[in-house]
Amino acid sequence: MTQALQQRRLVASYAVVLIFAALFLAPLALALTTSLKSPEEITRVLSLPCPCMCRTMAWPFPKWGAAFSIRS
Amino acid sequence: MASVRRVFGLQRSTFAFGAFLVLPVALFLIFFVYPIGQTVYISLHEWNGVAPTMRYVGWRNYLTLASQPRFLHALANNLSWLAFMLICPTGLGLLLAALLDRGIRGERVFRIVFFLPFTIPAVAVAAIWRWVYEPSSGLLTQVMQLIGLDGYAQNWLGDPKIVTYSLMGAVLWWTTGFAFLVFFAGLRNIPEEFLEAARIEGATPWQVFWKVSFPLLWPSTIIVLGIFAIDSMRLFDVVWATTGGGPAYSSEVLATQMYDVAFGRFQMGQASAISVYLLGIAAVIIMPYISYMAGRVSDNEAE
């Protein structure tokens, strides 16, 4: 096996390891930054609505409607 | 004492062994056999946990559960978790260990980074991942916006169809470190002569790994698979602290259902029946691991 091929494989391994290290560290970094926020800021962020939440909340409504409908 | 020995016709050494066994056997009976027996007994009754009397109902609790979609869904979730735990954290741990074993610079730092999540308590993992999966401003949604995939953003923990997969992502992050560490230690214990001999024979790094390293990693693999199989059956804390089994029981596993039925609905009989089911399934799944480990112990003793 040539020296260049070995070098290339090592670089590829290093890149994969780096990507996984970033993925493993990101949630910890998030926990650290969140711990520095004030309760007011956290409450403000959590009160923001988002479209995907509305989508999820929308699907049970017809079922609830059916459950409460009066049967003749 | 002498009279007791005389009555039972025991020798001094046999008697001493027996005397030493009394305490462990008593503890085993009190803390293992008795609770299991009591659980089986309660599972055959209807009881709210506080009433002075129980009503005998026979196998009704078991039959009710077997026909209950909620129980069957939790059981299916447990089996999905089993498949996931045996494949994903094990595979990723092996991959990371194999990559780091190639003598990468900063190996010590990477080792810490990969193992660090495993040291975090389950409830803290749940808190962190609730932030990651927060649908309006969570880390995952922000990253997806950053790379232009915001159209695919989901209500990760609020959508019944994907909530279990979201939880699996959190558990993958949490448990991979254990598999990584066991495999890494296993790889470091492989004698260098074996690898060197394979290289001299002209094997590629891929062949060296699959034909030499991986077969020698078999004991490590068995340990990881066995422990992950046990973990998948007793999974409770991350699910409970992240979603509480919801939404609409969609992420529920048998342990969270058992807790809800016992302490939310006070149906101790049915909760005990769930735990007996869980015990039976876990025993069937984990038995090969236990028999393998017992075989290894007897092999070591023979050597």
Side-chain angles (χ1 to χ4, degrees):
Chain A
M1 192 170 28
T2 63
Q3 191 75 19
L5 187 63
Q6 254 181 350
Q7 189 65 26
R8 220 179 305 152
R9 278 192 177 147
L10 201 63
V11 170
S13 306
Y14 203 75
V16 175
V17 168
L18 268 181
I19 290 166
F20 275 109
L23 289 175
F24 272 70
L25 281 178
L28 293 174
L30 176 76
L32 186 69
T33 53
T34 309
S35 72
L36 301 174
K37 284 180 182 162
S38 66
E40 291 79 19
E41 200 176 348
I42 290 173
T43 313
R44 188 180 58 75
V45 169
L46 287 179
S47 65
L48 293 172
C50 74
C52 56
M53 275 176 91
C54 298
R55 273 205 307 273
T56 316
M57 294 304 287
W59 74 265
F61 279 113
K63 293 184 181 179
W64 290 345
F68 287 115
S69 67
I70 300 162
R71 289 179 194 167
S72 54
Chain B
M1 282 295 182
S3 59
V4 173
R5 281 207 307 271
R6 215 172 24 248
V7 169
F8 290 102
L10 297 172
Q11 288 195 347
R12 181 181 286 270
S13 60
T14 316
F15 184 77
F17 282 133
F20 278 117
L21 273 175
V22 168
L23 184 62
V25 168
L27 289 174
F28 178 74
L29 289 175
I30 293 167
F31 292 109
F32 285 86
V33 178
Y34 173 72
I36 292 173
Q38 183 73 2
T39 306
V40 174
Y41 177 75
I42 294 172
S43 73
L44 300 173
H45 292 77
E46 196 177 87
W47 185 44
N48 65 7
V50 286
T53 54
M54 302 180 196
R55 194 165 69 88
Y56 179 76
V57 291
W59 298 102
R60 202 182 73 187
N61 286 326
Y62 292 94
L63 298 174
T64 308
L65 283 171
S67 62
Q68 212 178 58
R70 183 185 170 190
F71 174 76
L72 298 175
H73 181 75
L75 179 63
N77 272 350
N78 259 105
L79 296 177
S80 311
W81 275 103
L82 175 69
F84 165 79
M85 292 293 282
L86 294 185
I87 297 167
C88 297
T90 311
L92 186 57
L94 180 63
L95 172 75
L96 293 175
L99 288 173
L100 275 200
D101 192 46
R102 303 181 78 178
I104 281 173
R105 198 192 295 172
E107 174 208 299
R108 199 170 288 185
V109 177
F110 288 123
R111 246 173 16 199
I112 294 168
V113 168
F114 295 142
F115 187 65
L116 199 58
F118 190 67
T119 62
I120 299 173
V123 178
V125 171
I128 291 172
W129 281 85
R130 281 173 71 162
W131 275 107
V132 171
Y133 287 137
E134 207 284 308
S136 57
S137 60
L139 180 70
L140 190 57
T141 307
Q142 285 188 3
V143 169
M144 290 180 87
Q145 280 170 354
L146 203 70
I147 56 176
L149 293 174
D150 43 336
Y152 294 98
Q154 303 287 327
N155 190 1
W156 304 106
L157 296 175
D159 190 337
K161 291 190 207 96
I162 58 166
V163 63
T164 300
Y165 303 118
S166 306
L167 288 173
M168 284 174 176
V171 171
L172 179 66
W173 176 79
W174 184 38
T175 53
T176 297
F178 171 73
F180 160 75
L181 200 72
V182 174
F183 284 129
F184 192 72
L187 284 169
R188 284 292 153 103
N189 278 332
I190 293 173
E192 187 58 33
E193 301 88 63
F194 292 175
L195 307 175
E196 200 55 49
R199 283 188 206 112
I200 290 168
E201 293 290 330
T204 62
W206 184 253
Q207 286 171 327
V208 171
F209 180 76
W210 282 114
K211 306 272 177 176
V212 182
S213 302
F214 190 65
L216 291 171
L217 274 179
W218 189 235
S220 309
T221 312
I222 289 291
I223 289 170
V224 171
L225 290 177
I227 287 176
F228 280 166
I230 294 167
D231 279 351
S232 68
M233 283 296 120
R234 63 178 189 183
L235 184 74
F236 173 80
D237 34 21
V238 173
V239 176
W240 190 256
T242 314
T243 63
Y249 304 131
S250 52
S251 62
E252 203 169 55
V253 286
L254 288 177
T256 58
Q257 188 187 12
M258 186 173 62
Y259 183 85
D260 179 53
V261 171
F263 302 108
R265 292 158 193 268
F266 297 103
Q267 294 175 342
M268 295 298 170
Q270 215 169 78
S272 300
I274 296 173
S275 65
V276 173
Y277 268 127
L278 189 57
L279 181 71
I281 296 162
V284 168
I285 290 167
I286 292 154
M287 206 52 84
Y289 169 71
I290 292 171
S291 63
Y292 174 80
M293 292 309 282
R296 269 179 65 85
V297 170
S298 54
D299 285 351
N300 287 346
E301 278 171 358
E303 282 169 17

